[in-house]
Short mmCIF file of all heavy atoms in Angstrom, two decimals:
data_model
loop_
_atom_site.label_atom_id
_atom_site.label_comp_id
_atom_site.label_asym_id
_atom_site.label_seq_id
_atom_site.Cartn_x
_atom_site.Cartn_y
_atom_site.Cartn_z
N SER A 1 129.37 157.52 -53.44
CA SER A 1 129.80 157.89 -54.94
C SER A 1 130.33 156.61 -55.56
O SER A 1 130.83 155.72 -55.09
CB SER A 1 130.75 158.97 -54.73
OG SER A 1 132.09 158.49 -54.43
N PHE A 2 130.16 156.75 -56.91
CA PHE A 2 130.72 155.66 -57.74
C PHE A 2 132.15 155.78 -57.92
O PHE A 2 132.84 156.78 -58.15
CB PHE A 2 130.08 155.84 -59.09
CG PHE A 2 129.03 154.89 -59.47
CD1 PHE A 2 128.31 154.99 -60.68
CD2 PHE A 2 128.50 154.00 -58.51
CE1 PHE A 2 127.22 154.13 -60.96
CE2 PHE A 2 127.47 153.22 -58.78
CZ PHE A 2 126.82 153.19 -59.97
N THR A 3 132.80 154.53 -57.79
CA THR A 3 134.31 154.49 -58.00
C THR A 3 134.36 153.91 -59.36
O THR A 3 133.44 153.44 -59.97
CB THR A 3 134.96 153.63 -56.97
OG1 THR A 3 134.43 152.19 -57.18
CG2 THR A 3 134.68 154.06 -55.56
N SER A 4 135.64 153.94 -59.87
CA SER A 4 135.91 153.28 -61.22
C SER A 4 135.58 151.77 -61.19
O SER A 4 135.20 151.19 -62.11
CB SER A 4 137.20 153.61 -61.76
OG SER A 4 138.23 153.11 -60.85
N GLU A 5 135.77 151.26 -60.11
CA GLU A 5 135.58 149.73 -59.86
C GLU A 5 134.08 149.67 -59.98
O GLU A 5 133.56 148.63 -60.56
CB GLU A 5 136.01 149.27 -58.44
CG GLU A 5 135.90 147.76 -58.26
CD GLU A 5 136.47 147.19 -57.08
OE1 GLU A 5 137.61 147.69 -56.81
OE2 GLU A 5 135.83 146.55 -56.38
N ASN A 6 133.13 150.41 -59.44
CA ASN A 6 131.76 150.19 -59.36
C ASN A 6 131.32 150.55 -60.82
O ASN A 6 130.37 149.90 -61.42
CB ASN A 6 131.00 151.37 -58.61
CG ASN A 6 131.28 151.08 -57.09
OD1 ASN A 6 131.95 150.02 -56.66
ND2 ASN A 6 130.44 151.80 -56.25
N SER A 7 131.93 151.53 -61.55
CA SER A 7 131.50 151.81 -62.89
C SER A 7 131.81 150.60 -63.82
O SER A 7 130.99 150.24 -64.62
CB SER A 7 132.38 152.98 -63.40
OG SER A 7 132.07 154.16 -62.69
N ALA A 8 133.02 150.04 -63.63
CA ALA A 8 133.38 148.88 -64.46
C ALA A 8 132.47 147.71 -64.15
O ALA A 8 132.01 146.96 -65.06
CB ALA A 8 134.86 148.47 -64.20
N GLU A 9 132.05 147.44 -62.92
CA GLU A 9 131.12 146.52 -62.52
C GLU A 9 129.74 146.75 -63.14
O GLU A 9 129.21 145.71 -63.66
CB GLU A 9 131.01 146.42 -61.08
CG GLU A 9 130.38 145.12 -60.36
CD GLU A 9 130.55 145.09 -58.88
OE1 GLU A 9 131.75 145.05 -58.42
OE2 GLU A 9 129.44 145.07 -58.38
N TYR A 10 129.34 147.85 -63.19
CA TYR A 10 127.95 148.26 -63.77
C TYR A 10 128.11 147.95 -65.22
O TYR A 10 127.13 147.33 -65.78
CB TYR A 10 127.66 149.61 -63.45
CG TYR A 10 126.35 150.08 -64.19
CD1 TYR A 10 125.14 149.66 -63.81
CD2 TYR A 10 126.39 150.83 -65.20
CE1 TYR A 10 123.92 150.03 -64.25
CE2 TYR A 10 125.16 151.23 -65.94
CZ TYR A 10 124.06 150.87 -65.42
OH TYR A 10 122.89 151.20 -66.11
N ILE A 11 129.08 148.36 -65.92
CA ILE A 11 129.22 148.12 -67.36
C ILE A 11 129.20 146.75 -67.73
O ILE A 11 128.56 146.32 -68.65
CB ILE A 11 130.34 148.98 -67.87
CG1 ILE A 11 130.14 150.48 -67.94
CG2 ILE A 11 130.70 148.64 -69.33
CD1 ILE A 11 131.32 151.29 -68.10
N LEU A 12 130.07 145.88 -66.95
CA LEU A 12 130.15 144.56 -67.20
C LEU A 12 128.70 143.83 -67.03
O LEU A 12 128.24 142.91 -67.70
CB LEU A 12 131.14 143.88 -66.30
CG LEU A 12 132.55 144.20 -66.65
CD1 LEU A 12 133.56 143.65 -65.68
CD2 LEU A 12 132.97 143.65 -68.11
N THR A 13 127.94 144.29 -65.94
CA THR A 13 126.57 143.75 -65.76
C THR A 13 125.66 144.10 -66.96
O THR A 13 124.98 143.25 -67.34
CB THR A 13 126.05 144.44 -64.36
OG1 THR A 13 126.89 143.95 -63.29
CG2 THR A 13 124.60 143.81 -64.15
N VAL A 14 125.73 145.31 -67.40
CA VAL A 14 125.05 145.62 -68.57
C VAL A 14 125.35 144.79 -69.79
O VAL A 14 124.45 144.31 -70.44
CB VAL A 14 125.07 147.26 -68.99
CG1 VAL A 14 124.55 147.51 -70.34
CG2 VAL A 14 124.57 148.09 -67.75
N ILE A 15 126.45 144.58 -70.02
CA ILE A 15 126.99 143.67 -71.08
C ILE A 15 126.45 142.26 -70.81
O ILE A 15 125.82 141.75 -71.89
CB ILE A 15 128.51 143.74 -71.18
CG1 ILE A 15 129.07 145.13 -71.74
CG2 ILE A 15 129.01 142.59 -72.24
CD1 ILE A 15 130.61 145.17 -71.60
N GLU A 16 126.66 141.86 -69.69
CA GLU A 16 126.12 140.42 -69.39
C GLU A 16 124.71 140.32 -69.71
O GLU A 16 124.15 139.36 -70.17
CB GLU A 16 126.61 140.06 -68.11
CG GLU A 16 126.19 138.59 -67.71
CD GLU A 16 126.90 137.62 -68.54
OE1 GLU A 16 128.02 137.77 -68.92
OE2 GLU A 16 126.34 136.55 -68.71
N ASP A 17 123.91 141.23 -69.19
CA ASP A 17 122.56 141.23 -69.15
C ASP A 17 121.86 141.63 -70.52
O ASP A 17 120.65 141.24 -70.89
CB ASP A 17 121.89 142.12 -68.08
CG ASP A 17 122.17 141.67 -66.63
OD1 ASP A 17 122.58 140.43 -66.46
OD2 ASP A 17 121.95 142.36 -65.65
N SER A 18 122.54 142.44 -71.39
CA SER A 18 121.99 142.91 -72.58
C SER A 18 122.39 142.28 -73.85
O SER A 18 121.53 142.21 -74.82
CB SER A 18 122.45 144.52 -72.67
OG SER A 18 122.02 145.17 -71.56
N LEU A 19 123.47 141.62 -73.90
CA LEU A 19 123.86 141.05 -75.17
C LEU A 19 123.67 139.49 -75.21
O LEU A 19 123.78 138.85 -74.20
CB LEU A 19 125.37 141.34 -75.34
CG LEU A 19 125.84 142.76 -75.34
CD1 LEU A 19 127.34 142.82 -75.70
CD2 LEU A 19 125.06 143.57 -76.34
N SER A 20 123.38 139.06 -76.37
CA SER A 20 123.27 137.61 -76.52
C SER A 20 124.68 137.00 -76.52
O SER A 20 125.66 137.61 -76.41
CB SER A 20 122.69 137.27 -78.04
OG SER A 20 123.64 137.60 -78.96
N GLU A 21 124.77 135.60 -76.30
CA GLU A 21 125.96 134.96 -76.16
C GLU A 21 126.82 135.19 -77.46
O GLU A 21 128.07 135.51 -77.24
CB GLU A 21 125.70 133.47 -75.98
CG GLU A 21 125.21 133.04 -74.58
CD GLU A 21 125.85 133.66 -73.42
OE1 GLU A 21 127.17 133.40 -73.39
OE2 GLU A 21 125.34 134.14 -72.55
N ARG A 22 126.30 135.20 -78.59
CA ARG A 22 127.16 135.43 -79.86
C ARG A 22 127.61 136.86 -79.86
O ARG A 22 128.78 137.10 -80.16
CB ARG A 22 126.21 135.20 -80.92
CG ARG A 22 126.95 135.45 -82.31
CD ARG A 22 126.33 134.79 -83.46
NE ARG A 22 127.20 134.79 -84.63
CZ ARG A 22 128.05 133.89 -84.98
NH1 ARG A 22 128.22 132.94 -84.21
NH2 ARG A 22 128.73 133.99 -86.10
N GLU A 23 126.84 137.89 -79.48
CA GLU A 23 127.22 139.25 -79.32
C GLU A 23 128.30 139.37 -78.25
O GLU A 23 129.37 140.17 -78.64
CB GLU A 23 125.99 140.30 -79.00
CG GLU A 23 124.96 140.29 -80.12
CD GLU A 23 123.71 140.96 -79.71
OE1 GLU A 23 123.31 140.96 -78.51
OE2 GLU A 23 122.84 141.26 -80.62
N LYS A 24 128.23 138.76 -77.27
CA LYS A 24 129.26 138.89 -76.14
C LYS A 24 130.60 138.32 -76.69
O LYS A 24 131.60 138.84 -76.47
CB LYS A 24 128.84 138.08 -74.94
CG LYS A 24 127.85 138.88 -74.08
CD LYS A 24 127.58 138.25 -72.71
CE LYS A 24 126.35 137.37 -72.92
NZ LYS A 24 125.85 136.86 -71.59
N LYS A 25 130.51 137.13 -77.45
CA LYS A 25 131.72 136.49 -77.98
C LYS A 25 132.47 137.42 -79.03
O LYS A 25 133.63 137.63 -78.94
CB LYS A 25 131.33 135.19 -78.54
CG LYS A 25 132.48 134.32 -79.08
CD LYS A 25 133.42 133.92 -77.86
CE LYS A 25 134.43 132.99 -78.46
NZ LYS A 25 135.50 132.67 -77.39
N VAL A 26 131.73 138.03 -79.93
CA VAL A 26 132.18 138.74 -80.98
C VAL A 26 132.66 140.11 -80.40
O VAL A 26 133.82 140.45 -80.74
CB VAL A 26 131.08 139.08 -81.98
CG1 VAL A 26 131.53 140.18 -83.05
CG2 VAL A 26 130.64 137.96 -82.77
N PHE A 27 131.91 140.67 -79.42
CA PHE A 27 132.37 141.95 -78.74
C PHE A 27 133.77 141.65 -78.05
O PHE A 27 134.60 142.44 -78.10
CB PHE A 27 131.25 142.35 -77.89
CG PHE A 27 131.40 143.84 -77.35
CD1 PHE A 27 131.25 144.86 -78.32
CD2 PHE A 27 131.66 144.02 -76.09
CE1 PHE A 27 131.50 146.18 -77.96
CE2 PHE A 27 131.72 145.36 -75.61
CZ PHE A 27 131.67 146.44 -76.64
N SER A 28 133.79 140.50 -77.31
CA SER A 28 135.01 140.23 -76.54
C SER A 28 136.14 140.05 -77.44
O SER A 28 137.29 140.55 -77.22
CB SER A 28 134.72 138.96 -75.68
OG SER A 28 136.00 138.56 -75.13
N LEU A 29 136.09 139.27 -78.69
CA LEU A 29 137.15 139.04 -79.55
C LEU A 29 137.61 140.51 -80.13
O LEU A 29 138.82 140.64 -80.25
CB LEU A 29 136.61 138.08 -80.60
CG LEU A 29 136.55 136.65 -80.12
CD1 LEU A 29 135.88 135.78 -81.19
CD2 LEU A 29 137.92 136.12 -79.76
N PHE A 30 136.62 141.22 -80.49
CA PHE A 30 136.82 142.54 -81.06
C PHE A 30 137.68 143.38 -80.04
O PHE A 30 138.72 143.95 -80.45
CB PHE A 30 135.60 143.31 -81.44
CG PHE A 30 135.84 144.57 -82.08
CD1 PHE A 30 136.38 144.70 -83.42
CD2 PHE A 30 135.65 145.70 -81.45
CE1 PHE A 30 136.56 145.94 -83.90
CE2 PHE A 30 135.82 146.93 -82.02
CZ PHE A 30 136.34 147.19 -83.24
N LEU A 31 137.26 143.49 -78.80
CA LEU A 31 137.88 144.21 -77.87
C LEU A 31 139.37 143.66 -77.51
O LEU A 31 140.22 144.41 -77.05
CB LEU A 31 137.14 144.28 -76.46
CG LEU A 31 135.85 145.13 -76.63
CD1 LEU A 31 135.17 145.08 -75.24
CD2 LEU A 31 136.18 146.47 -76.98
N THR A 32 139.53 142.45 -77.85
CA THR A 32 140.84 141.77 -77.47
C THR A 32 141.91 142.10 -78.68
O THR A 32 142.92 141.87 -78.59
CB THR A 32 140.50 140.23 -77.45
OG1 THR A 32 139.77 140.05 -76.32
CG2 THR A 32 141.97 139.55 -77.11
N GLY A 33 141.40 142.64 -79.75
CA GLY A 33 142.18 143.00 -80.94
C GLY A 33 141.95 142.26 -82.16
O GLY A 33 142.84 142.51 -83.16
N TYR A 34 141.10 141.42 -82.18
CA TYR A 34 140.97 140.48 -83.38
C TYR A 34 140.21 141.39 -84.45
O TYR A 34 139.41 142.20 -84.18
CB TYR A 34 140.14 139.28 -83.14
CG TYR A 34 140.75 138.29 -82.47
CD1 TYR A 34 140.71 138.21 -80.96
CD2 TYR A 34 141.53 137.19 -83.02
CE1 TYR A 34 141.45 137.18 -80.22
CE2 TYR A 34 142.19 136.25 -82.38
CZ TYR A 34 142.15 136.25 -80.98
OH TYR A 34 142.61 135.28 -80.25
N SER A 35 140.65 141.15 -85.74
CA SER A 35 140.08 141.84 -86.94
C SER A 35 138.57 141.09 -87.19
O SER A 35 138.33 139.98 -86.64
CB SER A 35 140.84 141.85 -88.11
OG SER A 35 140.93 140.42 -88.50
N TYR A 36 137.77 141.76 -87.94
CA TYR A 36 136.56 141.16 -88.36
C TYR A 36 136.79 139.90 -89.07
O TYR A 36 136.06 138.85 -88.81
CB TYR A 36 135.88 142.15 -89.36
CG TYR A 36 135.16 143.34 -88.67
CD1 TYR A 36 135.42 143.91 -87.46
CD2 TYR A 36 134.05 144.00 -89.40
CE1 TYR A 36 134.90 144.96 -86.92
CE2 TYR A 36 133.46 145.04 -88.75
CZ TYR A 36 133.84 145.45 -87.57
OH TYR A 36 133.22 146.55 -87.02
N GLU A 37 137.83 139.77 -89.95
CA GLU A 37 138.18 138.66 -90.66
C GLU A 37 138.64 137.47 -89.71
O GLU A 37 138.16 136.41 -89.82
CB GLU A 37 139.35 138.85 -91.65
CG GLU A 37 138.86 139.81 -92.84
CD GLU A 37 138.85 141.32 -92.63
OE1 GLU A 37 139.33 141.56 -91.38
OE2 GLU A 37 138.17 141.96 -93.29
N GLU A 38 139.40 137.83 -88.79
CA GLU A 38 139.89 136.88 -87.67
C GLU A 38 138.74 136.28 -86.95
O GLU A 38 138.64 135.13 -86.64
CB GLU A 38 140.98 137.39 -86.79
CG GLU A 38 142.16 137.68 -87.56
CD GLU A 38 143.20 138.54 -86.73
OE1 GLU A 38 142.77 139.36 -86.03
OE2 GLU A 38 144.43 138.28 -87.01
N ILE A 39 137.74 137.24 -86.55
CA ILE A 39 136.63 136.79 -85.79
C ILE A 39 135.70 135.84 -86.55
O ILE A 39 135.32 134.76 -86.20
CB ILE A 39 135.83 137.94 -85.28
CG1 ILE A 39 136.65 138.77 -84.22
CG2 ILE A 39 134.63 137.61 -84.52
CD1 ILE A 39 136.04 140.10 -83.94
N ALA A 40 135.62 136.34 -87.78
CA ALA A 40 134.70 135.39 -88.70
C ALA A 40 135.30 134.11 -88.95
O ALA A 40 134.65 133.04 -88.74
CB ALA A 40 134.62 136.14 -90.01
N ASP A 41 136.65 133.98 -89.10
CA ASP A 41 137.32 132.68 -89.24
C ASP A 41 137.14 131.74 -87.95
O ASP A 41 136.75 130.58 -88.08
CB ASP A 41 138.89 132.81 -89.50
CG ASP A 41 139.15 133.23 -90.94
OD1 ASP A 41 138.17 133.22 -91.79
OD2 ASP A 41 140.19 133.81 -91.13
N ARG A 42 137.28 132.36 -86.78
CA ARG A 42 137.04 131.68 -85.53
C ARG A 42 135.77 131.17 -85.24
O ARG A 42 135.57 130.15 -84.66
CB ARG A 42 137.61 132.58 -84.40
CG ARG A 42 139.03 132.80 -84.28
CD ARG A 42 139.33 133.64 -82.91
NE ARG A 42 139.19 132.83 -81.69
CZ ARG A 42 139.97 132.60 -80.83
NH1 ARG A 42 141.29 133.20 -80.93
NH2 ARG A 42 139.74 131.98 -79.83
N LEU A 43 134.75 131.98 -85.69
CA LEU A 43 133.34 131.63 -85.41
C LEU A 43 132.65 131.01 -86.65
O LEU A 43 131.49 130.61 -86.60
CB LEU A 43 132.55 132.87 -84.92
CG LEU A 43 133.14 133.59 -83.79
CD1 LEU A 43 132.34 134.78 -83.36
CD2 LEU A 43 133.15 132.52 -82.58
N GLY A 44 133.49 130.76 -87.71
CA GLY A 44 132.78 130.14 -88.95
C GLY A 44 131.76 130.95 -89.52
O GLY A 44 130.63 130.30 -89.92
N THR A 45 131.98 132.26 -89.75
CA THR A 45 130.89 133.19 -90.36
C THR A 45 131.67 134.15 -91.19
O THR A 45 132.82 133.85 -91.65
CB THR A 45 130.22 133.86 -89.18
OG1 THR A 45 128.95 134.50 -89.76
CG2 THR A 45 130.99 134.90 -88.39
N THR A 46 130.97 135.12 -91.73
CA THR A 46 131.60 136.09 -92.60
C THR A 46 131.97 137.49 -91.92
O THR A 46 131.35 137.74 -90.83
CB THR A 46 130.58 136.40 -93.74
OG1 THR A 46 129.41 137.08 -93.05
CG2 THR A 46 130.24 135.17 -94.49
N PRO A 47 132.82 138.12 -92.31
CA PRO A 47 133.10 139.44 -91.75
C PRO A 47 131.99 140.40 -91.75
O PRO A 47 131.74 141.22 -90.82
CB PRO A 47 134.22 140.06 -92.70
CG PRO A 47 134.97 138.86 -93.19
CD PRO A 47 133.82 137.83 -93.42
N LYS A 48 131.07 140.32 -92.75
CA LYS A 48 129.80 141.11 -92.74
C LYS A 48 128.88 140.78 -91.70
O LYS A 48 128.22 141.56 -90.93
CB LYS A 48 129.11 140.97 -94.14
CG LYS A 48 127.71 141.58 -94.21
CD LYS A 48 127.98 143.13 -94.32
CE LYS A 48 126.60 143.81 -94.35
NZ LYS A 48 126.71 145.12 -93.81
N ALA A 49 128.74 139.46 -91.34
CA ALA A 49 128.08 139.05 -90.20
C ALA A 49 128.69 139.50 -88.86
O ALA A 49 127.92 139.86 -87.90
CB ALA A 49 127.85 137.42 -90.23
N VAL A 50 130.05 139.64 -88.74
CA VAL A 50 130.62 140.11 -87.69
C VAL A 50 130.37 141.57 -87.43
O VAL A 50 129.97 142.05 -86.36
CB VAL A 50 132.10 139.82 -87.74
CG1 VAL A 50 132.97 140.54 -86.60
CG2 VAL A 50 132.56 138.43 -87.55
N ASP A 51 130.35 142.28 -88.51
CA ASP A 51 130.05 143.77 -88.49
C ASP A 51 128.70 143.97 -88.06
O ASP A 51 128.35 144.79 -87.16
CB ASP A 51 130.22 144.25 -89.92
CG ASP A 51 129.93 145.70 -89.98
OD1 ASP A 51 130.49 146.61 -89.26
OD2 ASP A 51 129.21 146.15 -90.88
N SER A 52 127.67 143.14 -88.60
CA SER A 52 126.35 143.43 -88.22
C SER A 52 126.19 143.08 -86.71
O SER A 52 125.45 143.61 -86.03
CB SER A 52 125.42 142.33 -88.93
OG SER A 52 125.37 142.78 -90.36
N THR A 53 126.77 141.95 -86.22
CA THR A 53 126.76 141.64 -84.81
C THR A 53 127.25 142.70 -83.89
O THR A 53 126.73 143.11 -82.85
CB THR A 53 127.46 140.34 -84.59
OG1 THR A 53 126.82 139.23 -85.46
CG2 THR A 53 127.34 139.85 -83.01
N LEU A 54 128.46 143.30 -84.33
CA LEU A 54 128.94 144.34 -83.50
C LEU A 54 128.17 145.58 -83.49
O LEU A 54 127.96 146.29 -82.53
CB LEU A 54 130.29 144.68 -84.00
CG LEU A 54 131.44 143.63 -83.61
CD1 LEU A 54 132.79 144.03 -84.28
CD2 LEU A 54 131.74 143.86 -82.13
N GLN A 55 127.56 145.95 -84.51
CA GLN A 55 126.67 147.14 -84.77
C GLN A 55 125.52 146.86 -83.83
O GLN A 55 125.08 147.92 -83.09
CB GLN A 55 126.17 147.31 -86.28
CG GLN A 55 127.27 148.01 -87.11
CD GLN A 55 126.65 148.17 -88.45
OE1 GLN A 55 125.54 148.72 -88.53
NE2 GLN A 55 127.53 147.90 -89.49
N ARG A 56 124.92 145.67 -83.75
CA ARG A 56 123.74 145.38 -82.97
C ARG A 56 124.13 145.47 -81.48
O ARG A 56 123.44 146.07 -80.64
CB ARG A 56 123.24 144.12 -83.23
CG ARG A 56 121.82 143.70 -82.77
CD ARG A 56 121.32 142.47 -83.22
NE ARG A 56 122.13 141.34 -83.34
CZ ARG A 56 122.79 140.82 -84.39
NH1 ARG A 56 122.49 141.31 -85.62
NH2 ARG A 56 123.52 139.84 -84.49
N ALA A 57 125.35 145.00 -81.20
CA ALA A 57 125.84 145.01 -79.84
C ALA A 57 126.05 146.54 -79.26
O ALA A 57 125.68 146.86 -78.27
CB ALA A 57 127.07 144.18 -79.61
N ARG A 58 126.70 147.21 -80.23
CA ARG A 58 126.86 148.68 -79.85
C ARG A 58 125.73 149.42 -79.53
O ARG A 58 125.64 150.29 -78.62
CB ARG A 58 127.76 149.30 -81.00
CG ARG A 58 129.24 148.85 -81.01
CD ARG A 58 129.96 149.77 -82.00
NE ARG A 58 131.27 149.17 -82.41
CZ ARG A 58 131.58 148.71 -83.43
NH1 ARG A 58 130.79 148.58 -84.44
NH2 ARG A 58 132.84 148.08 -83.61
N LYS A 59 124.66 149.14 -80.51
CA LYS A 59 123.32 149.86 -80.33
C LYS A 59 122.83 149.57 -79.05
O LYS A 59 122.27 150.43 -78.32
CB LYS A 59 122.44 149.51 -81.46
CG LYS A 59 121.16 150.18 -81.40
CD LYS A 59 120.35 149.94 -82.68
CE LYS A 59 119.11 150.79 -82.60
NZ LYS A 59 117.90 150.04 -82.43
N LYS A 60 122.74 148.26 -78.68
CA LYS A 60 122.15 147.90 -77.33
C LYS A 60 122.86 148.49 -76.18
O LYS A 60 122.25 149.05 -75.24
CB LYS A 60 122.33 146.35 -77.21
CG LYS A 60 121.29 145.55 -78.06
CD LYS A 60 121.40 144.13 -77.85
CE LYS A 60 120.51 143.15 -78.56
NZ LYS A 60 120.73 141.78 -78.30
N LEU A 61 124.26 148.56 -76.30
CA LEU A 61 124.94 149.17 -75.20
C LEU A 61 124.82 150.66 -75.09
O LEU A 61 124.67 151.14 -74.04
CB LEU A 61 126.54 148.69 -75.29
CG LEU A 61 126.75 147.32 -75.11
CD1 LEU A 61 128.17 146.90 -75.37
CD2 LEU A 61 126.37 146.73 -73.68
N ARG A 62 124.72 151.30 -76.20
CA ARG A 62 124.40 152.64 -76.21
C ARG A 62 123.10 153.03 -75.53
O ARG A 62 123.04 154.01 -74.81
CB ARG A 62 124.52 153.24 -77.67
CG ARG A 62 125.78 154.00 -78.14
CD ARG A 62 125.54 154.76 -79.40
NE ARG A 62 124.97 154.05 -80.43
CZ ARG A 62 125.51 153.31 -81.31
NH1 ARG A 62 126.78 153.05 -81.20
NH2 ARG A 62 124.90 152.75 -82.34
N GLU A 63 122.20 152.22 -75.86
CA GLU A 63 120.90 152.46 -75.25
C GLU A 63 120.79 152.26 -73.89
O GLU A 63 120.33 153.01 -73.12
CB GLU A 63 119.85 151.56 -76.11
CG GLU A 63 119.48 151.96 -77.48
CD GLU A 63 118.67 150.89 -78.09
OE1 GLU A 63 118.29 149.87 -77.67
OE2 GLU A 63 118.34 151.17 -79.42
N LYS A 64 121.36 151.21 -73.46
CA LYS A 64 121.40 150.92 -71.96
C LYS A 64 122.32 151.70 -71.14
O LYS A 64 121.94 152.07 -69.93
CB LYS A 64 121.97 149.38 -71.70
CG LYS A 64 120.97 148.34 -72.38
CD LYS A 64 119.75 148.18 -71.51
CE LYS A 64 118.88 147.04 -72.11
NZ LYS A 64 117.72 146.83 -71.34
N LEU A 65 123.26 152.27 -71.87
CA LEU A 65 124.43 153.07 -70.98
C LEU A 65 124.24 154.62 -71.22
O LEU A 65 124.97 155.44 -70.61
CB LEU A 65 125.80 152.67 -71.30
CG LEU A 65 126.05 151.29 -70.82
CD1 LEU A 65 127.55 150.88 -71.51
CD2 LEU A 65 126.10 151.02 -69.40
N SER A 66 123.23 155.02 -72.09
CA SER A 66 123.17 156.35 -72.49
C SER A 66 122.89 157.35 -71.26
O SER A 66 123.42 158.40 -71.24
CB SER A 66 122.10 156.64 -73.61
OG SER A 66 120.85 156.19 -72.93
N SER A 67 122.13 157.01 -70.36
CA SER A 67 121.93 157.75 -69.10
C SER A 67 123.15 157.74 -68.19
O SER A 67 123.19 158.51 -67.33
CB SER A 67 120.70 157.30 -68.53
OG SER A 67 120.82 156.00 -67.86
N TYR A 68 123.85 156.77 -68.35
CA TYR A 68 125.08 156.48 -67.41
C TYR A 68 126.27 157.29 -67.85
O TYR A 68 127.05 157.86 -67.08
CB TYR A 68 125.28 155.03 -67.44
CG TYR A 68 126.46 154.69 -66.33
CD1 TYR A 68 126.26 154.81 -64.86
CD2 TYR A 68 127.73 154.32 -66.75
CE1 TYR A 68 127.13 154.57 -64.03
CE2 TYR A 68 128.72 154.06 -65.84
CZ TYR A 68 128.43 154.18 -64.62
OH TYR A 68 129.47 153.80 -63.69
N ILE A 69 126.42 157.34 -69.21
CA ILE A 69 127.66 157.98 -69.83
C ILE A 69 127.64 159.51 -69.76
O ILE A 69 126.64 160.04 -69.95
CB ILE A 69 127.98 157.42 -71.10
CG1 ILE A 69 128.11 155.93 -71.11
CG2 ILE A 69 129.13 158.14 -71.75
CD1 ILE A 69 128.26 155.25 -72.47
#
């Protein structure tokens, strides 16, 4: 049976395999508590670009994890 450790490991593998390096960076900063504006400042982009990147990352993860969740 799956343990929470197995579940977390699976989710991390999906993130690693499914997201681009930029998506992983933006997603990680967002999960750490940074705002769109702060992420944009750190990465030299706009909050709108951060929003688009997060939407794309979420869509990919939803598709990959839909059968798992």
Side-chain angles (χ1 to χ4, degrees):
S1 76
F2 258 178
T3 64
S4 61
E5 186 177 313
N6 290 5
S7 298
E9 194 172 300
Y10 175 74
I11 291 168
L12 290 173
T13 300
V14 169
I15 290 170
E16 184 64 33
D17 293 347
S18 303
L19 302 184
S20 70
E21 290 304 314
R22 182 163 189 83
E23 290 165 344
K24 284 186 264 195
K25 183 70 174 169
V26 170
F27 196 65
S28 173
L29 289 169
F30 180 73
L31 291 178
T32 306
Y34 286 92
S35 69
Y36 285 21
E37 292 78 14
E38 292 168 326
I39 296 168
D41 287 344
R42 285 183 73 125
L43 301 180
T45 189
T46 65
K48 177 66 179 156
V50 169
D51 179 53
S52 296
T53 302
L54 281 172
Q55 286 184 42
R56 191 169 48 252
R58 286 187 193 113
K59 182 175 188 255
K60 286 180 179 180
L61 293 176
R62 255 192 316 274
E63 289 170 359
K64 296 286 185 179
L65 296 171
S66 64
S67 63
Y68 182 76
I69 298 174

